[in-house]
Amino acid sequence: MIPDGKADWLEAFRRCGLSNELIQFAIGEPADPFFESICQRHLLEQPFEYLPDVPGPPVTPLWHDTTTVVGCRKQRNRLEFVQVEMEAVFSGGDEAMKVIARSEQGLWARLFCRRLESLLAALGEKAEPKIKQLRESAKRIGFLHFETALERAKAGGEHDEFFLALK
């Protein structure tokens, strides 16, 4: 169900070629309450379809976490997901934008890895019930790489190449 007043965003997300599951996640309810804190949607209350002053192709915001925005854009006829540091954009900083995924599966992997790392750090061995809940969320939205994401979260380290490589 699409919330009232979000029809324009729905069209913007469809133009980007996003799946129904990701659109629902971005403007409806998140796949799991664990994501609520890092996927805030206050930007969707703004009257713009693209982030202002971001260099390169237009970026359509999906959600934000304080001043960091996650959005999508078309680059050379391909969808990519970017993280935009809005403070750096407005101050003219060099590192304002970073490509974080080149597919929805890569974006889901990033979200799930981050949540799994947080759960494991906070709960350790007691995280299993929450991990089971996340596994069910992954199935519901069609995230195909949950077990690999879980293994990577348990191993620690950087995962950027994993996120970028997923198709």
Side-chain angles (χ1 to χ4, degrees):
M1 170 127 176
I2 304 303
D4 290 339
K6 303 295 188 220
D8 292 341
W9 288 107
L10 178 64
E11 289 307 312
F13 294 150
R14 285 191 175 142
R15 276 195 300 276
C16 285
L18 302 183
S19 70
N20 288 336
E21 292 80 11
L22 185 54
I23 291 171
Q24 183 64 36
F25 183 87
I27 62 178
E29 293 297 318
D32 194 284
F34 293 121
F35 296 111
E36 196 63 43
S37 65
I38 60 167
C39 299
Q40 299 165 12
R41 292 166 180 83
H42 305 294
L43 276 177
L44 299 183
E45 297 168 6
Q46 302 302 315
F48 54 80
E49 183 175 315
Y50 301 112
L51 291 177
D53 303 321
V54 175
V59 174
T60 299
L62 297 170
W63 56 78
H64 67 98
D65 181 6
T66 61
T67 62
T68 301
V69 177
V70 171
C72 60
R73 69 179 184 180
K74 293 281 187 159
Q75 178 78 316
R76 294 183 209 95
N77 294 323
R78 292 186 57 207
L79 179 65
E80 68 181 12
F81 297 92
V82 296
Q83 177 177 294
V84 181
E85 302 294 338
M86 294 309 295
E87 287 179 359
V89 168
F90 295 130
S91 68
D94 293 336
E95 303 292 322
M97 186 167 31
K98 174 184 176 183
V99 176
I100 57 172
R102 293 191 174 98
S103 69
E104 285 189 22
Q105 289 295 309
L107 182 64
W108 290 127
R110 184 175 187 274
L111 283 170
F112 277 92
C113 272
R114 298 261 159 87
R115 288 293 90 189
L116 287 163
E117 287 171 339
S118 295
L119 279 175
L120 291 167
L123 300 176
E125 295 293 322
K126 296 178 182 178
E128 195 53 43
K130 301 287 187 187
I131 291 171
K132 183 178 179 183
Q133 188 178 349
L134 280 175
R135 186 178 282 115
E136 291 303 313
S137 295
K139 287 179 188 175
R140 213 171 32 253
I141 61 166
F143 175 48
L144 305 173
H145 306 280
F146 182 83
E147 297 307 322
T148 304
L150 177 57
E151 289 171 24
R152 288 179 150 287
K154 286 179 177 179
E158 283 296 315
H159 311 294
D160 289 350
E161 292 304 317
F162 170 61
F163 306 146
L164 291 169
L166 287 178
K167 300 288 182 228

